[in-house]
Amino acid sequence: MKLGTVLVEGAQRVAVAVDTPGERAVLLYAGLTMADLIEDWAAARHGAPAALPGRPQASYTALHAWSVRDPEAFWRAITEWFEVRFSSPYDTVLADASMPGARWFPGARLNYAQHALRPALDPARADSPALLYLDERRETGTVTWAELARQVASLAAALRRLGVTPGDRVSGYLPNIPQAVVALLASACVGAVWTSCAPEFGARSVLDRFQQVEPVVLFAVDGYTYGGKSHDRTAVVGDLRAGLPSVRATIHIPLLGTPAPEGALDWTDVVDAEDSDAAADPDTAGHHAAAGHSDAGSHREPVYEQVDFDHPLWVLYSSGTTGLPKAIVHSQGGILLEHLKQTGLHLDLGPDDRFFWYTSTGWMMWNFLVSGLLAGATVVLYDGSPGYPGTDAQWRIAEQTGTTVFGTSAAYVIACAKADVHPGRDLDLSAVGCVATTGSPLPPDGFRWLHDEVKEDLLIASVSGGTDVCSCFAGGVPTLPVYVGELQAPCLGTGLQAWNEQGRPVVDEVGELVVTAPMPSMPIRFWNDPGDARYRESYFEMFPGVWRHGDWITLTSRGTVIVHGRSDSTLNRQGVRMGSADIYEVVERLPEIGESLVIGIEQPDGGYWMPLFVRLADGAELDDPLRDRIRAAIRGGLSPRHVPDEIIAVPGVPHTLTGKRIEIPVKKLLQGTPLDKAVNPGSVDDLEVLRFYERLAAERAGGRP
């Protein structure tokens, strides 16, 4: 199969009349996806184009065009379809469509956590699992919807007793465990602003992030387990407490069994406290009851602070490889609507699903995973190594938990292919209907491997988005076919285009990924960014008023999307732009290559040097025959222009703390920039790997490090 080959046809359309959103549970059983149903319903209620029987691609293209052309009708339809609860009505959907500065749903008040915990109020679902959790011991634990709501209620009451008020920041130094989910929801419940880092981050990396936002509460574990080993983090937590004078309370979570440090509160004491929000503050409880919470005094239901649509929900961070990480602020309402759309329509999640994504709390995909609760799905949390004790670890978790929608990285899929893993043969993955991948473009071989080694009727949802919007610009559409090496389509409500240097849209050509219309989950601002200067510089400098994301893509004439890699690290040889991801896909097919990195460097004499760095697989040697095979593979799979000038064996390829390959800092090092100026040392996974490139640059310049 070659690029563009159809792997899986879209879901079979069944002609059914849909009158109300409440009918969806019954009709989904008849073989429809939720995306099918909202298309018919929106056509009847909101002026969306009618579906074209037997023509799913044309139907989706028309629906997508409408969702971008008429954002007010589309996003109003989303709020109605998913029964968003506004405690105060909105004046209009989109008061200002400027980018940046779009104003969504002014006047509306709501709460993200209230929507995430709706199933707890359903007697038929209260005792069913909201969370399944496990670590490397593989013992599955369960938190029911009722218990999750109880813990959130108790913790929200505790936060209020600690003086946390709307807008205060609450931080977590936590792995992917239920306590992290409870802490996020409790923070949202009181209108606080959540922010988190994974415990593998060192103190400097965490402080680079948390010091920007000045949290008043710190949730912290004493350590974590990874790769079969325990990692004590008590000293790091001590450094964090010392470096965050704004923190008034530390809540200790003893994963390794250590007692709470002096002055810290213990998680169990806080969550098992008898006080409810109402008992803690009768006046506040009365205020919330007046806002529509008639059972605000219930110990089992949290009291939800009603906040403006654009009230901050959380702060996420960019990788920060060349300076302090950008502190990206998303709103409660914007994330609520965007994640309802993504989980409910593009992933087709519902109450019968179990949603597992391998992630950490330092990556936006963790926040997205938690939003699976919005769709009523059971969220699967795994705390541990992605490949321990074997490469098939994630597939075994999917089997054990009955996962229906499984998210992972493209790198993991390729690692499984190279390790000769056969999950469909060796495991019972009958429940898995969709595998979604992100982090980097899924190469064509990854599509083929998933199709051949997991199941043939698998929905392969390769997605592309970013921390910047905590969502996807393009990705899965359950009603459309899957083509090898291609994302199925731009997402609904996303004005995705490919633009050339002149700012004109192009089709079937490589161009800059731009978004021409505002999305509710675009940042409301960066923290501590006077005049939005850094925000504008990050996305709107190249094309004023249009979001430029920094990826090279091809938008094909059949509506699919191909991602070629970052445009800010583009290879430009003989005036032709090339995506590094295309080279990685070809090179890393070779069994001798563990990972690769290609850099293009403009030389002072006007020349262009394009080296390919390769981390070899165990036992492999970079000799002349292997170099010849690499060159032949690139020449045959791409073009002679893609063949590197040199192929150099390296001890490793550097990554950000969330696992993304680093290109720009390596380019700067090779151009002679000192290491401390080329990269923020706290943002990379292995600083010694970067020192290798620094030494290489010095040797090429004729000096010594």
Side-chain angles (χ1 to χ4, degrees):
M1 289 178 288
K2 61 183 180 179
L3 187 73
T5 302
V6 179
L7 278 181
V8 182
E9 295 290 350
Q12 182 66 41
R13 171 172 286 279
V14 181
V16 180
V18 181
D19 294 322
T20 66
E23 294 186 25
R24 60 193 173 203
V26 176
L27 296 178
L28 283 171
Y29 184 75
L32 289 171
T33 68
M34 200 173 289
D36 282 303
L37 297 180
I38 194 173
E39 189 172 1
D40 295 328
W41 175 83
R45 296 292 187 88
H46 292 280
L52 303 171
R55 299 176 61 193
Q57 184 67 64
S59 293
Y60 183 82
T61 299
L63 181 66
H64 176 266
W66 167 77
S67 73
V68 175
R69 183 177 64 251
D70 194 348
E72 294 211 18
F74 172 72
W75 290 106
R76 184 182 297 110
I78 291 293
T79 66
E80 293 179 15
W81 179 257
F82 290 106
E83 299 173 346
V84 171
R85 178 175 179 175
F86 295 107
S87 59
S88 297
Y90 55 88
D91 302 323
T92 186
V93 172
L94 184 57
D96 184 347
S98 303
M99 287 195 293
R103 292 179 56 233
W104 292 96
F105 293 91
R109 295 176 72 81
L110 43 63
N111 189 282
Y112 168 91
Q114 184 173 15
H115 291 81
L117 292 172
R118 282 192 287 192
L121 300 177
D122 181 355
R125 301 206 60 209
D127 293 327
S128 61
L131 306 175
L132 297 177
Y133 61 95
L134 62 167
D135 57 23
E136 291 180 349
R137 294 170 296 181
R138 302 294 170 80
E139 298 172 1
T140 305
T142 300
V143 179
T144 66
W145 287 100
E147 175 62 15
L148 180 59
R150 186 199 70 78
Q151 291 190 29
V152 171
S154 292
L155 187 55
L159 291 175
R160 287 185 169 109
R161 290 195 301 274
L162 291 169
V164 176
T165 59
D168 285 344
R169 278 72 64 206
V170 173
S171 59
Y173 186 57
L174 302 171
N176 186 15
I177 55 177
Q179 292 93 327
V181 177
V182 174
L184 185 159
L185 294 177
S187 298
C189 183
V190 303
V193 184
W194 173 255
T195 191
S196 62
C197 287
E200 58 265 30
F201 285 27
R204 184 67 264 158
S205 297
V206 179
L207 291 173
D208 282 348
R209 291 159 171 79
F210 288 177
Q211 283 178 338
Q212 295 188 62
V213 300
E214 300 177 299
V216 298
V217 174
L218 171 66
F219 291 88
V221 290
D222 55 352
Y224 64 100
T225 301
Y226 189 92
K229 298 178 181 179
S230 295
H231 301 267
D232 185 284
R233 306 305 272 173
T234 53
V236 176
V237 173
D239 291 341
L240 299 183
R241 296 178 74 190
L244 294 170
S246 59
V247 168
R248 302 196 296 260
T250 299
I251 298 176
H252 173 73
I253 301 171
L255 284 193
L256 301 185
T258 63
E262 183 178 355
L265 303 170
D266 188 87
W267 170 269
T268 303
D269 293 339
V270 171
V271 172
D272 288 346
E274 289 300 318
D275 305 78
S276 69
D277 284 283
D281 188 345
D283 293 335
T284 301
H287 165 76
H288 288 287
H293 303 282
S294 59
D295 49 355
S298 168
H299 182 73
R300 293 186 176 273
E301 184 184 355
V303 175
Y304 301 104
E305 185 75 30
Q306 298 301 298
V307 297
D308 290 341
F309 187 92
D310 62 358
H311 184 83
L313 172 61
W314 56 49
V315 176
L316 304 181
Y317 304 95
S318 65
S319 58
T321 53
T322 57
L324 277 181
K326 297 185 295 249
I328 301 167
V329 188
H330 294 123
S331 69
Q332 287 227 16
I335 289 294
L336 174 63
L337 265 58
E338 178 65 26
H339 285 188
L340 283 169
K341 180 200 75 176
Q342 285 290 344
T343 59
L345 300 182
H346 288 282
L347 288 179
D348 199 31
L349 282 176
D352 294 330
D353 284 299
R354 293 188 170 186
F355 182 34
F356 166 45
W357 205 297
Y358 181 81
T359 184
S360 78
T361 59
W363 188 23
M364 61 143 283
M365 291 312 305
W366 181 78
N367 302 68
F368 186 82
L369 173 65
V370 173
S371 284
L373 299 173
L374 296 173
T378 299
V379 168
V380 178
L381 309 175
Y382 173 62
D383 173 29
S385 166
Y388 179 85
T391 307
D392 64 351
Q394 293 184 42
W395 298 108
R396 292 191 177 277
I397 294 164
E399 177 191 45
Q400 181 175 332
T401 57
T403 290
T404 59
V405 177
F406 168 36
T408 189
S409 66
Y412 179 71
V413 173
I414 297 306
C416 287
K418 289 192 171 188
D420 201 28
V421 172
H422 303 278
R425 181 194 69 187
D426 299 337
L427 304 172
D428 180 6
L429 298 176
S430 56
V432 178
C434 171
V435 172
T437 68
T438 190
S440 59
L442 181 66
D445 281 355
F447 282 78
R448 298 183 189 101
W449 184 85
L450 288 170
H451 176 267
D452 295 344
E453 295 293 346
V454 181
K455 58 171 60 174
E456 292 186 356
D457 60 349
L458 185 71
L459 174 60
I460 303 170
S462 177
V463 305
S464 180
T467 299
D468 321 76
V469 294
C470 198
S471 189
C472 309
F473 297 123
V477 181
T479 58
L480 296 182
V482 175
Y483 292 88
V484 172
E486 301 177 11
L487 284 62
Q488 287 174 283
C491 295
L492 294 173
T494 305
L496 179 74
Q497 294 183 7
W499 278 18
N500 62 19
E501 283 186 329
Q502 289 73 45
R504 299 190 183 96
V506 293
V507 176
D508 292 326
E509 295 179 25
V510 177
E512 286 273 1
L513 188 164
V514 302
V515 181
T516 60
M519 297 167 57
S521 68
M522 284 178 174
I524 51 175
R525 64 179 184 273
F526 289 173
W527 204 271
N528 290 332
D529 181 25
D532 292 331
R534 198 177 183 196
Y535 185 15
R536 292 176 183 276
E537 177 188 346
S538 297
Y539 311 113
F540 301 103
E541 199 167 62
M542 178 175 285
F543 303 117
V546 172
W547 178 290
R548 175 247 182 187
H549 193 62
D551 283 342
W552 284 120
I553 64 167
T554 297
L555 189 61
T556 74
S557 50
R558 62 164 163 255
T560 60
V561 179
I562 302 170
V563 181
H564 302 283
R566 296 293 296 171
S567 60
D568 48 14
S569 58
T570 300
L571 306 171
N572 191 335
R573 214 178 199 188
Q574 299 167 11
V576 177
R577 294 190 186 92
M578 301 179 292
S580 57
D582 299 329
I583 294 176
Y584 301 148
E585 189 272 321
V586 171
V587 171
E588 292 171 16
R589 288 182 191 174
L590 299 173
E592 296 90 346
I593 307 302
E595 196 172 14
S596 59
L597 185 74
V598 64
I599 303 293
I601 298 173
E602 299 79 8
Q603 302 285 71
D605 63 0
Y608 193 77
W609 180 50
M610 195 175 91
L612 173 69
F613 302 103
V614 293
R615 176 180 61 79
L616 298 169
D618 291 344
E621 179 184 352
L622 185 60
D623 52 18
D624 287 342
L626 179 55
R627 284 190 173 92
D628 290 342
R629 288 179 56 218
I630 292 172
R631 292 188 181 101
I634 295 173
R635 185 179 292 108
L638 296 170
S639 77
R641 189 176 283 110
H642 287 78
V643 176
D645 296 307
E646 291 185 59
I647 303 173
I648 302 169
V650 295
V653 170
H655 304 88
T656 67
L657 293 175
T658 55
K660 293 188 176 181
R661 204 170 341 214
I662 292 173
E663 296 174 335
I664 295 176
V666 172
K667 179 175 180 175
K668 289 181 177 180
L669 289 172
L670 295 174
Q671 289 174 319
T673 304
L675 181 61
D676 61 347
K677 295 283 201 301
V679 67
N680 176 1
S683 69
V684 297
D685 60 350
D686 189 342
L687 198 59
E688 287 307 309
V689 169
L690 281 176
R691 294 193 195 284
F692 168 86
Y693 295 93
E694 183 182 40
R695 289 193 295 271
L696 176 64
E699 292 165 6
R700 284 185 56 82
R704 285 294 172 196

